[in-house]
Amino acid sequence: MFKQQHGPAPVPADELAAALAPFGRSRMLPRVAYTDEAVFEWEQANIFSGWICVGHASDLVGAGAQKAVGSGANGVLLVRGEDSQVRAFANTCRHRGHELLACGATTKRRTIVCPYHSWAYRLDGQVRNAPGFSDDDGFDAGEFGLTPLRITDWHGWLFVDSSGEGGEFDSHVAGLEDVVGPYRPEDLTVVARHSYELATNWKIIAENYQECYHCSTIHPELSRISPPTSGENLDLEGTWMGGWMSIIEGADTMSLSGASGGVAITGLSEHELRSVMYLVGYPNLLVSLHPDYVMTHLMTPLAADRTHVECAWAFPEEVAAQPDFDPSYAVDFWDLTNRQDWAACESVQRGLSSPHAKPGPLAPDEDGVYQFVTRVATAYRGC
């Protein structure tokens, strides 16, 4: 699944073996997995070079819309072409390698222009103009188009495989169509976004998302609407993982009161209307499927101890288009819950920075964490 570009990860082999022991006897990942920059660099080269989510198709509105995601080896330029298709290119000019757009920057124009020497490219990546070069000098523009990357639009989320060796995308999301499809996220409208920069490792965020063992302690609002011990985890074929939790009788969705300020997504089953599905789109997308909205957390690791998270809320178009629609019932609830989680995750990061921190055991309610930890540990071994 993962290309062994630099051999196994620089983590203690005996502690990896402990993380891969059967559930009930296993331990968490070695502390260096969360604190060591060499491990972080290994992850960037071996985990974040396969299929990762780079945003939502609605981020690129109209022909010529462009957005830069990531930097360095995994830097990607997203471009919507004249044919309405979104393409992905390595974010590096074919002249001297300058970034075509700075990480996180957006623009909209009919050409892709390098800000260094003004090389210009068509929206399909072919050279349009290279100042000072001509056919008479033997310059073949066809040799210097932008480097295309594999990209897939799946239910509105854009996934890029910058290495070209991430396998077939269908294998990445195997078993998920019946889970995600009924919510039709590609037809929903993103109404609100929040950005957070956290002083914690990306894996701590994903591990926290994979369990509600902590909910009774730090999430009283959530626990009133969704019992922490409810639900169960899924056994999926692909690289994703996750599970569902139920909503109490008398509540319609996850909000401070349990009331919805929107409408239920059309076509959901009775079970889907009474539960929330939480999925980890390994490695960097967290998807929460609610009866009346879909929330995502898109993680961008910045360093071993720093992660940027963009949270987005999408609602059915018929309510999102109403001028008086107020999404705060969902946004405020999850912003509060997010900040409770972020405080805990940052504290875990500080605790793991202690040389006395050792991998701990997993509680019976942390089987979702076990799924994630064993996925990472398997990758670390180069398997």
Side-chain angles (χ1 to χ4, degrees):
M1 184 182 301
F2 301 97
K3 177 175 171 55
Q4 194 171 331
Q5 298 177 20
H6 303 291
V11 297
D14 58 335
E15 294 186 13
L16 273 189
L20 289 165
F23 183 59
R25 300 201 302 274
S26 69
R27 295 290 184 267
M28 287 298 295
L29 294 167
R31 62 176 290 272
V32 295
Y34 307 94
T35 61
D36 191 280
E37 284 297 329
V39 176
F40 175 80
E41 293 298 330
W42 187 95
E43 291 173 347
Q44 291 297 294
N46 292 273
I47 293 179
F48 282 83
S49 63
W51 288 110
I52 65 166
C53 184
V54 293
H56 197 272
S58 63
D59 296 340
L60 298 141
V61 179
Q66 303 169 34
K67 181 178 182 179
V69 179
S71 60
N74 295 334
V76 176
L77 179 69
L78 302 172
V79 179
R80 189 174 292 279
E82 301 284 357
D83 58 359
S84 297
Q85 296 299 306
V86 177
R87 293 174 175 81
F89 303 100
N91 189 15
T92 176
C93 181
R94 290 296 310 280
H95 172 226
R96 294 269 294 281
H98 196 284
E99 292 172 312
L100 299 159
L101 276 182
C103 178
T106 61
T107 190
K108 188 173 184 180
R109 56 194 304 176
R110 294 291 175 163
T111 54
I112 303 163
V113 181
C114 177
Y116 195 15
H117 296 99
S118 297
W119 273 44
Y121 303 86
R122 296 183 178 88
L123 299 180
D124 62 3
Q126 296 304 304
V127 173
R128 180 175 182 177
N129 183 40
F133 290 84
S134 70
D135 294 341
D136 294 339
D137 299 325
F139 176 71
D140 183 357
E143 293 184 16
F144 298 100
L146 298 179
T147 302
L149 305 175
R150 292 206 296 171
I151 184 170
T152 294
D153 180 337
W154 188 70
H155 288 294
W157 297 302
L158 300 174
F159 294 84
V160 169
D161 171 21
S162 60
S163 70
E165 299 179 358
E168 293 302 318
F169 184 78
D170 286 348
S171 297
H172 180 61
V173 295
L176 276 167
E177 196 57 44
D178 290 343
V179 178
V180 175
Y183 294 84
R184 295 179 291 109
E186 65 275 18
D187 295 333
L188 304 183
T189 301
V190 175
V191 170
R193 300 176 191 265
H194 282 188
S195 290
Y196 310 89
E197 188 163 323
L198 310 182
T200 192
N201 186 273
W202 68 277
K203 295 185 296 298
I204 292 173
I205 300 169
E207 290 161 1
N208 175 82
Y209 183 83
Q210 277 286 84
E211 51 95 353
C212 213
Y213 183 42
H214 68 278
C215 290
S216 297
T217 306
I218 72 169
H219 294 317
E221 298 83 5
L222 182 150
S223 298
R224 282 198 296 268
I225 305 299
S226 184
T229 57
S230 66
E232 60 185 43
N233 287 315
L234 305 178
D235 184 14
L236 296 169
E237 304 168 45
T239 59
W240 288 44
M241 61 205 86
W244 58 271
M245 292 176 60
S246 63
I247 298 172
I248 62 169
E249 288 295 327
D252 296 317
T253 192
M254 299 299 286
S255 67
L256 290 172
S257 66
S260 172
V263 298
I265 296 170
T266 303
L268 296 183
S269 68
E270 184 61 30
H271 174 74
E272 290 159 346
L273 290 170
R274 306 299 317 150
S275 62
V276 180
M277 179 67 71
Y278 299 97
L279 299 169
V280 176
Y282 183 81
N284 72 322
L285 180 67
L286 311 178
V287 179
S288 305
L289 304 168
H290 298 73
D292 53 339
Y293 61 94
V294 170
M295 178 181 68
T296 56
H297 295 79
L298 183 63
M299 299 187 294
T300 303
L302 303 175
D305 61 354
R306 197 158 51 92
T307 307
H308 178 268
V309 179
E310 181 182 83
C311 191
W313 291 263
F315 298 81
E317 185 177 2
E318 61 266 32
V319 295
Q322 296 175 5
D324 60 344
F325 174 61
D326 183 1
S328 63
Y329 76 94
V331 175
D332 290 354
F333 174 85
W334 281 110
D335 182 57
L336 171 64
T337 305
N338 281 340
R339 293 180 187 280
Q340 292 166 341
D341 280 327
W342 304 158
C345 290
E346 291 182 332
S347 182
V348 170
Q349 183 70 40
R350 292 191 295 270
L352 288 174
S353 298
S354 167
H356 302 292
K358 298 184 184 302
L362 291 167
D365 289 341
E366 294 181 295
D367 51 321
V369 180
Y370 180 73
Q371 287 185 348
F372 180 81
V373 164
T374 54
R375 183 68 46 79
V376 175
T378 301
Y380 282 173
R381 294 176 80 173
C383 301

